[in-house]
Amino acid sequence: MSLHLITQRIRDAEAKAGRLAGSVQLIAVSKVQPNARVREVLAAGHLVFGENYVQEAQGKWPDFRAEFPSVSVHMIGPLQTNKAKVAVELFDAIHTLDRPSLADKLAKLAQARGACPELFVQVNTGAEPQKAGVLPADLDGFIATARAMDLPLSGLMCIPPEDQDATPHFAMLAEMAARNGLKGLSMGMSGDFEAAIAAGATHVRVGSAIFGARSYA
């Protein structure tokens, strides 16, 4: 598919859900993509990207930012606490706040810098032991703790289990966000973003459908 086709599908899904056109932000997931492919998408006018790895983003985005100053880069992969300092300087948003130690680190960095990226709390909606994220039962307490640290929480993020229908997970995330007064919903990927938009997604993360298959060589 192309960026144009994905964008059109997002607009169609917004309309079908009775939502305003442009209310959903497309995050083009550029992890492990060659710079030439990323440049093509930038040149086509898209300016919001997602990365999974701090080190890869560090080697890619400073140069692109110099050329495309309006670009916004989002951290959508697990964030190690020891890489938080680099991350807050590199990313405009972090979608993977998932534990108290990271919240504490980000709060200290935000106070020192006087600024903080937009933050989403990652929720492990399927309670999968191998997956990062705050468990649903612990979420309200975690949000209260993060807010007490003056962290600027924008919303919630989830990655539903691969072997399950994603729709109930999207509905669960939307309910938890509403209950906690959070408007941002980072949910939905290449295979299910239309269902996520129907459930209220504000950010969808699409990679291979825009860039083609990833190369991990």
Side-chain angles (χ1 to χ4, degrees):
M1 296 204 187
S2 67
L3 175 65
H4 172 75
L5 281 172
I6 294 295
T7 301
Q8 187 57 55
R9 284 174 58 186
I10 289 172
R11 297 290 92 86
D12 290 346
E14 287 170 338
K16 188 175 180 181
R19 298 179 57 185
L20 290 173
S23 59
V24 179
Q25 187 169 80
L26 169 62
I27 300 173
V29 181
S30 46
K31 69 170 185 180
V32 205
Q33 293 291 352
N35 283 0
R37 286 187 190 174
V38 177
R39 182 180 294 281
E40 286 176 7
V41 177
L42 281 162
H46 191 74
L47 293 170
V48 185
F49 292 80
E51 292 285 344
N52 281 54
Y53 311 109
V54 172
Q55 193 170 350
E56 181 188 350
Q58 203 174 8
K60 179 189 296 180
W61 286 102
D63 288 344
F64 277 140
R65 279 188 189 277
E67 193 174 348
F68 300 92
S70 298
V71 75
S72 178
V73 187
H74 294 225
M75 177 65 173
I76 59 172
L79 178 57
Q80 297 173 19
T81 306
N82 63 0
K83 297 203 174 152
K85 187 175 189 300
V86 177
V88 298
E89 294 168 356
L90 190 60
F91 296 106
D92 301 282
I94 294 171
H95 292 237
T96 49
L97 173 56
D98 64 352
R99 59 196 186 279
S101 60
L102 181 58
D104 184 59
K105 182 70 171 179
L106 291 173
K108 288 175 180 173
L109 289 166
Q111 288 170 6
R113 297 175 73 241
C116 186
E118 190 178 7
L119 297 176
F120 292 76
V121 176
Q122 182 173 354
V123 185
N124 187 350
T125 56
E128 298 174 274
Q130 79 283 10
K131 191 174 283 183
V134 179
L135 293 172
D138 300 331
L139 179 65
D140 291 4
F142 182 80
I143 288 173
T145 298
R147 283 176 166 158
M149 298 177 181
D150 288 329
L151 284 174
L153 301 184
S154 293
L156 305 179
M157 182 272 250
C158 76
I159 305 171
E162 288 186 19
D163 59 349
Q164 295 180 23
D165 177 10
T167 302
H169 294 271
F170 297 153
M172 182 193 307
L173 199 75
E175 188 279 325
M176 290 187 290
R179 186 173 75 221
N180 284 284
L182 293 169
K183 294 183 177 180
L185 286 169
S186 173
M187 58 188 193
M189 298 187 284
S190 290
D192 56 21
F193 66 82
E194 283 139 326
I197 291 170
T202 58
H203 298 69
V204 296
R205 310 178 303 269
V206 180
S208 54
I210 294 172
F211 292 100
R214 296 187 181 96
S215 170
Y216 289 90

